[in-house]
Amino acid sequence: MLKKNTKKTFIIAEIGINHGGDINKAYKLINAAKRSGADAVKFQTYITEKRVNKKSPIFEILKKCELSFDEFQKINDYCKKINILFFSTPFDIQSSKFLIKELKVRLLKIASFDSSNNDLISEIKKYKTNVIMSVGLSNLNEIKSSVKKLSLTNNLALLHCITAYPINFDDANISVISNLKKQFPKNIIGYSDHTNGIFVPPLAVAAGAKIIEKHFMINRKDNVVDKAVSIDSKSFKKMVAEIRKIEKVLGEDKVKVRNVE
């Protein structure tokens, strides 16, 4: 769970809608994420008709990938059984109520697209749960406004995110992480990665990120919706190992004479 003063990075396998609406594939993705060292798996919970207009070019894709509330109940139970944290991004108020009131999740994600969605933020604020919010598509004043509205400075994490799919390495701008840490000292700062590979997330940890979110699939042959920004289980496991190595290299910031000296 979210802890500000910890050396361990909270690593999220973003399953999202890569299950394609198939709960059995969702189980397989959860198992693979668990084996790959993820601390949590994140999904997207929504009612398609409330998320996009029926005339939207992505309506049919989202509808095909929509899981029912009953299926999310089973997924949540399964994650508890194998001891990996389940949480999700709600895209409408009904879905947020379901996650909090019915599933009693301890953590919610607010997508960059909804970081200025006053209705959704007001609903989530009522329950004072742990929240991770991506801050792509937002300027500093907009982020400050959203943080103030949530009023959850002790359990609110902000993820630097470039909301494009995918992005090049030179568009990652992970220097923003240190700026966010200065601007929001009470909040946990992390990084949601949309590069194609595992080069950037460990660098983000070195830059100060305490949360890493990365889109996940089982193998490169999978024909999943978010393939352009997803890494397979083998790459995810390697990324986790690199992050854990960097945590050791970072050590502590106290100035003193070390034992090795």
Side-chain angles (χ1 to χ4, degrees):
M1 190 52 72
L2 307 181
K3 293 181 181 178
K4 183 169 176 57
N5 298 314
T6 179
K7 292 181 180 179
K8 186 179 179 184
T9 310
F10 186 66
I11 302 177
I12 303 164
E14 161 72 270
I15 291 174
I17 56 175
N18 276 350
H19 49 73
D22 183 345
I23 191 171
N24 291 317
K25 187 169 184 177
Y27 291 147
K28 291 177 182 178
L29 282 159
I30 294 165
N31 287 333
K34 171 77 173 179
R35 291 193 300 268
S36 298
D39 296 304
V41 288
K42 191 190 79 68
F43 286 76
Q44 295 181 15
T45 306
Y46 58 88
I47 298 166
T48 308
E49 288 78 4
K50 294 185 177 183
R51 182 172 177 178
V52 296
N53 189 287
K54 285 188 176 182
K55 294 181 180 179
S56 169
I58 63 170
F59 180 87
E60 292 302 328
I61 295 172
L62 291 175
K63 191 65 180 178
K64 180 183 177 182
C65 296
E66 181 183 323
L67 290 171
S68 70
F69 287 173
D70 285 343
E71 286 173 317
F72 273 118
Q73 178 69 68
K74 293 174 182 177
I75 287 170
N76 186 42
D77 291 342
Y78 185 74
C79 287
K80 288 179 180 178
K81 181 179 178 180
I82 69 168
N83 195 29
I84 188 168
L85 181 68
F86 160 85
F87 73 111
S88 190
T89 302
F91 283 91
D92 56 80
I93 289 174
Q94 187 175 342
S95 295
S96 66
K97 285 182 177 179
F98 164 73
L99 290 167
I100 296 170
K101 288 187 171 184
E102 301 298 323
L103 294 193
K104 302 187 186 305
V105 295
R106 297 180 294 154
L107 179 62
L108 281 184
K109 171 77 185 296
I110 298 175
S112 291
F113 301 102
D114 285 321
S115 59
S116 296
N117 183 333
N118 292 330
D119 291 340
L120 186 62
I121 287 175
S122 295
E123 181 65 30
I124 291 172
K125 178 183 175 181
K126 293 178 185 177
Y127 304 101
K128 297 192 179 299
T129 188
N130 294 286
V131 174
I132 295 176
M133 180 169 68
S134 284
V135 295
L137 302 170
S138 300
N139 61 38
L140 184 57
N141 287 334
E142 288 169 335
I143 298 169
K144 286 181 177 179
S145 176
S146 295
V147 169
K148 186 176 181 180
K149 288 171 188 171
L150 281 165
S151 301
L152 293 168
T153 52
N154 290 326
N155 54 356
L156 170 64
L158 306 175
L159 302 190
H160 167 51
C161 176
I162 304 299
T163 311
Y165 308 86
I167 61 169
N168 297 320
F169 292 154
D170 54 0
D171 288 322
N173 289 300
I174 59 172
S175 293
V176 172
I177 292 167
S178 60
N179 193 1
L180 287 172
K181 290 179 73 175
K182 291 175 184 176
Q183 296 289 341
F184 304 96
K186 292 182 179 180
N187 299 105
I188 302 164
I189 305 300
Y191 175 61
S192 179
D193 185 53
H194 290 154
T195 60
N196 190 352
I198 65 170
F199 177 68
V200 176
L203 295 178
V205 173
K210 291 297 181 183
I211 299 171
I212 292 294
E213 179 183 76
K214 185 70 179 176
H215 286 257
F216 182 79
M217 60 185 177
I218 297 173
N219 62 65
R220 292 303 307 173
K221 294 180 180 180
D222 285 351
N223 186 24
V224 297
V225 175
D226 291 326
K227 187 170 185 175
V229 292
S230 299
I231 56 174
D232 62 17
S233 55
K234 184 178 179 180
S235 295
F236 197 96
K237 188 173 184 178
K238 184 178 179 181
M239 181 191 76
V240 172
E242 290 297 312
I243 289 172
R244 300 304 179 215
K245 191 186 299 181
I246 284 175
E247 289 168 348
K248 292 179 180 179
V249 172
L250 287 172
E252 60 177 349
D253 60 3
K254 186 176 180 180
V255 179
K256 65 179 184 179
V257 177
R258 308 291 170 177
N259 291 337
V260 70
E261 294 177 298

